[in-house]
Amino acid sequence: MAKIILDNLKKSYGATEVLHGVNAEIEDGEFVVIVGPSGCGKSTLLRMIAGLETVTEGEIYIGERMVNGLEPADRDIAMVFQNYALYPHMSVRQNMAYGLKIRGLPRDEINRRVEEAAEILEIGDYLDRKPRQLSGGQRQRVAMGRAIVRQPEVFLFDEPLSNLDAKLRVQMRLEIRKLQKRLGVTAVYVTHDQVEAMTLGDRLMVLNGGYAEQFGTPIELYERPQTIFVAGFIGSPAMNFLPGRIEGDAVVLENGSKVPGGAGSGQVTLGVRPEHLVADDKGPIRLQVILAEQLGANTLVHGVLEGTDTQLVVSLAGIRAVTEGEVMGFSIAREQMHLFGPDGRRIN
C-alpha cells in the first residue's frame, strides 16, 4: 500500500492549461473517486499519476518516492481501463499472466498468483477461454485480475464500468469495492457518474474545468457543498436553485415569496434538494406542476416556481396523485437550505 500526494499539479498542452494546480493527499488503503463532467481533466489527472501523461508543473509522490520522472512500469501501479485492453489472441490465463511473465517471475509463482486472483474474482472456470467468449462483465473481471496479480501499491481505474449495462454496473461496482477492501490497496477511480462516485468512494474529488472544486467524503459533499457546481453535480435528482435576495432573516424569491432562513443582505442563490422540500399548503415555495413521474417508492414532481420560469423538482415519498397545472405549496427547514453568493461559493 502507499500514500499518494498530488502537489500543485498542472497540465498544459501548448498554451492551453487543462489542470490548474490540483492538490490532494490520498491515504494508505483509501478509495478516492475523481468525478466530474466530460472534459474536466479527470482522466488526464489519472494518467499523470500512472505516468502516461507528463507533468507540466508540480509533483506526484507514491509512497516515499517522487515519481514525476519514473516510467509507468516503475511506479508500482496497476491500471484498469474502460475498454479492458485484453489481448484477443490470448486465453484469460495468458492475459492475466502476461505482465508477470515479462517481469521474469518463476512459472510456479505466476500460476499461484493467477489461480489466487481467479478465485477471488470467481473466474476460475474461464481461464482457458478467449476474451471474445466472455461477456462484458467477465472481461472486466479479467482486466481486474490482471491488475491484482501484479500486487501493486496502487490501483488506478479509468471509467471501468462505462461499457456495461445499468444492472451489471451496479453489481460490478459493489464487487470492485469489496475487492479493494479485501486487498487493502490504495485506489484512485475516475468516473463521470456521481451515483457511482457516491457509492464507491471514501472521499470524492469533484473536478470542474481543471479545478478541484471540493475534496471530501460523499456525505460532506452532499450535506455541505462548497460551490453551486458541486451542489448541482452531487445528488440525484439534482439540487434546485432559486435566485433571490436576502432581506433580514428571509430569502425573498423572484416572485416575492419569503423563505425564512436568511442572514445579512444581498443577492443569493437558494439551493434546496428535491427530497428536502416538504409538502405544506401554506408553504412559501409554490410549485405549478408540469409533470409527475411515478417511480413506485417515490414520486418526482416537475414544475416551475409560480409566476416565474424557474424549474423545480420535488421528490415525494410513495405514490402521489398529482394533476398537471395544479399549484402545490412547500416549505424547507433552515438546516437544509444552501445559500450561495454571486461568485457561486457557499455563504452559510
Side-chain angles (χ1 to χ4, degrees):
M1 293 188 294
K3 182 175 182 176
I4 301 172
I5 298 175
L6 310 179
D7 184 9
N8 195 34
L9 277 190
K10 297 182 180 180
K11 177 64 180 178
S12 299
Y13 296 102
T16 304
E17 189 169 274
V18 295
L19 286 173
H20 312 282
V22 175
N23 293 282
E25 291 192 13
I26 299 169
E27 300 298 332
D28 245 0
E30 190 175 22
F31 198 123
V32 165
V33 179
I34 303 171
V35 64
S38 297
C40 70
K42 56 188 183 296
S43 288
T44 299
L45 179 56
L46 192 77
R47 290 172 64 84
M48 289 167 70
I49 298 171
L52 301 174
E53 292 277 0
T54 57
V55 175
T56 303
E57 191 176 322
E59 295 176 341
I60 300 173
Y61 291 86
I62 298 178
E64 300 297 321
R65 300 185 301 165
M66 198 264 280
V67 300
N68 288 41
L70 294 182
E71 293 295 322
D74 300 323
R75 297 192 181 200
D76 204 5
I77 57 99
M79 194 160 180
V80 180
F81 296 92
Q82 176 180 345
N83 64 356
Y84 319 132
L86 301 176
Y87 296 108
H89 62 286
M90 292 184 183
S91 68
V92 167
R93 184 188 301 275
Q94 291 168 329
N95 265 284
M96 291 172 63
Y98 184 73
L100 304 182
K101 185 177 178 181
I102 293 298
R103 287 163 57 185
L105 267 66
R107 180 178 295 178
D108 288 349
E109 174 67 7
I110 292 174
N111 288 337
R112 184 189 67 78
R113 291 195 191 184
V114 169
E115 295 286 348
E116 187 177 85
E119 181 181 351
I120 291 172
L121 293 164
E122 299 179 357
I123 54 174
D125 293 340
Y126 311 132
L127 286 175
D128 296 320
R129 297 187 187 182
K130 296 290 200 305
R132 65 177 179 274
Q133 298 172 294
L134 305 178
S135 68
Q138 291 164 346
R139 291 180 196 177
Q140 194 54 271
R141 288 171 191 254
V142 176
M144 288 191 290
R146 186 178 52 193
I148 291 170
V149 297
R150 295 189 57 190
Q151 299 179 354
E153 290 190 321
V154 175
F155 276 148
L156 303 177
F157 296 90
D158 190 6
E159 304 211 39
L161 307 183
S162 58
N163 287 337
L164 305 180
D165 64 51
K167 184 177 180 181
L168 192 53
R169 275 205 307 272
V170 173
Q171 178 187 339
M172 288 300 298
R173 75 181 183 223
L174 291 174
E175 294 193 11
I176 287 174
R177 193 63 171 112
K178 286 192 297 183
L179 175 66
Q180 186 267 343
K181 282 191 171 295
R182 175 173 177 175
L183 299 176
V185 68
T186 307
V188 183
Y189 187 107
V190 159
T191 181
H192 64 276
D193 185 330
Q194 58 93 12
V195 174
E196 200 170 280
M198 292 282 286
T199 54
L200 277 173
D202 295 317
R203 288 191 293 164
L204 314 183
M205 177 189 290
V206 180
L207 281 187
N208 178 29
Y211 292 93
E213 295 255 340
Q214 193 169 346
F215 188 29
T217 67
I219 297 304
E220 286 171 355
L221 270 62
Y222 176 81
E223 293 185 338
R224 296 282 297 177
Q226 294 303 303
T227 67
I228 280 183
F229 179 83
V230 174
F233 195 83
I234 298 297
S236 182
M239 184 181 286
N240 297 296
F241 295 111
L242 307 174
R245 65 186 186 278
I246 295 178
E247 291 185 3
D249 62 352
V251 178
V252 180
L253 303 180
E254 56 188 323
N255 64 357
S257 296
K258 292 186 176 182
V259 181
S265 62
Q267 297 297 314
V268 295
T269 299
L270 167 62
V272 53
R273 295 202 178 279
E275 58 271 33
H276 292 158
L277 284 163
V278 179
D280 177 357
D281 289 341
K282 298 181 180 180
I285 299 176
R286 313 295 295 178
L287 172 71
Q288 184 170 10
V289 176
I290 296 173
L291 173 71
E293 294 180 288
Q294 304 287 356
L295 304 180
N298 63 318
T299 300
L300 296 183
V301 181
H302 300 261
V304 295
L305 182 67
E306 188 178 30
T308 76
D309 294 325
T310 299
Q311 296 187 11
L312 293 173
V313 180
V314 180
S315 179
L316 301 174
I319 299 172
R320 300 291 187 96
V322 180
T323 305
E324 181 181 341
E326 76 170 290
V327 175
M328 304 176 69
F330 297 92
S331 57
I332 176 175
R334 283 176 185 261
E335 61 270 19
Q336 291 173 334
M337 293 173 62
H338 305 266
L339 296 179
F340 302 94
D343 63 353
R345 302 200 67 81
R346 187 181 193 91
I347 61 173
N348 70 324

